[in-house]
Amino acid sequence: LVVQGGMMRTIADFVVYSPDDQVQLIVEVKNRKGTTDEWAAAMRRNLLAHAMIPPSRFFLLALPEYFYLWTPDQSVEAIPANYKVVSRGILKRFWDDAKLEDLSEQSLEILVSSWLNELISSRLAKESSPELSWIFDSGLYESIKDGSIRAETAA
């Protein structure tokens, strides 16, 4: 959260835009271990309810153990994520060590950034990337491919 001139401003770890510069995905990276699905839903609710993140179609909470993705839904309630995916399966290309849990939050942010950059600039097909089926099924890939990423964006 950024406070500027006595006013709170929203901030996100990463904001992913479509090619026409529309906000599509907000990504929040937290180096918190042993979380539950309920904790993730409450974290999203708190960020939305307190206007700490800008509005977007998709919201991704990236944790050392899981990635939680919410698809378009403007509800500020603590609703379960639409997709929950093991982080190691997503980030293994960028970090071979089995101990993602031991990384600092900044290191985890670098890995997530690398993955996002590859995702928006790659030509992926659902058939050749079954581990990313959730990206296709949710509509996220179509929304962000050929887009851009901004880190620690204040709104």
Side-chain angles (χ1 to χ4, degrees):
L1 181 65
V2 174
V3 177
Q4 191 170 29
M7 296 181 61
M8 284 196 325
R9 298 185 65 189
T10 58
I11 191 164
D13 289 324
F14 300 102
V15 179
V16 184
Y17 296 84
S18 60
D20 63 353
D21 212 32
Q22 300 299 307
V23 174
Q24 296 297 312
L25 171 66
I26 298 296
V27 181
E28 186 67 26
V29 179
K30 294 286 182 207
N31 192 21
R32 180 138 182 188
K33 300 156 201 71
T35 60
T36 63
D37 296 352
E38 293 77 18
W39 180 89
M43 169 63 80
R44 174 190 170 271
R45 186 202 70 77
N46 290 341
L47 291 170
L48 288 171
H50 299 293
M52 295 173 72
I53 55 173
S56 69
R57 291 189 61 215
F58 297 92
F59 177 74
L60 179 73
L61 180 59
L63 305 171
E65 297 163 321
Y66 296 102
F67 277 17
Y68 293 90
L69 178 70
W70 284 264
T71 57
D73 182 335
Q74 299 310 312
S75 170
V76 293
E77 298 304 312
I79 58 174
N82 300 92
Y83 298 89
K84 176 184 176 183
V85 185
V86 175
S87 301
R88 189 171 292 115
I90 298 166
L91 301 176
K92 65 184 174 193
R93 294 177 31 104
F94 307 100
W95 181 260
D96 290 332
D97 191 314
K99 302 255 189 232
L100 276 175
E101 296 82 9
D102 293 339
L103 292 176
S104 68
E105 190 161 306
Q106 292 78 16
S107 296
L108 185 58
E109 285 178 5
I110 291 168
L111 294 179
V112 171
S113 174
S114 298
W115 174 72
L116 288 169
N117 276 296
E118 181 178 89
L119 191 63
I120 65 170
S121 62
S122 298
R123 292 285 167 249
L124 300 176
K126 184 176 180 178
E127 301 75 33
S128 61
S129 307
E131 73 283 1
L132 294 177
S133 63
W134 60 286
I135 298 290
F136 295 98
D137 294 345
S138 66
L140 177 61
Y141 180 69
E142 281 298 316
S143 295
I144 64 172
K145 74 176 180 178
D146 298 322
S148 61
I149 298 171
R150 295 186 191 125
E152 295 194 15
T153 303

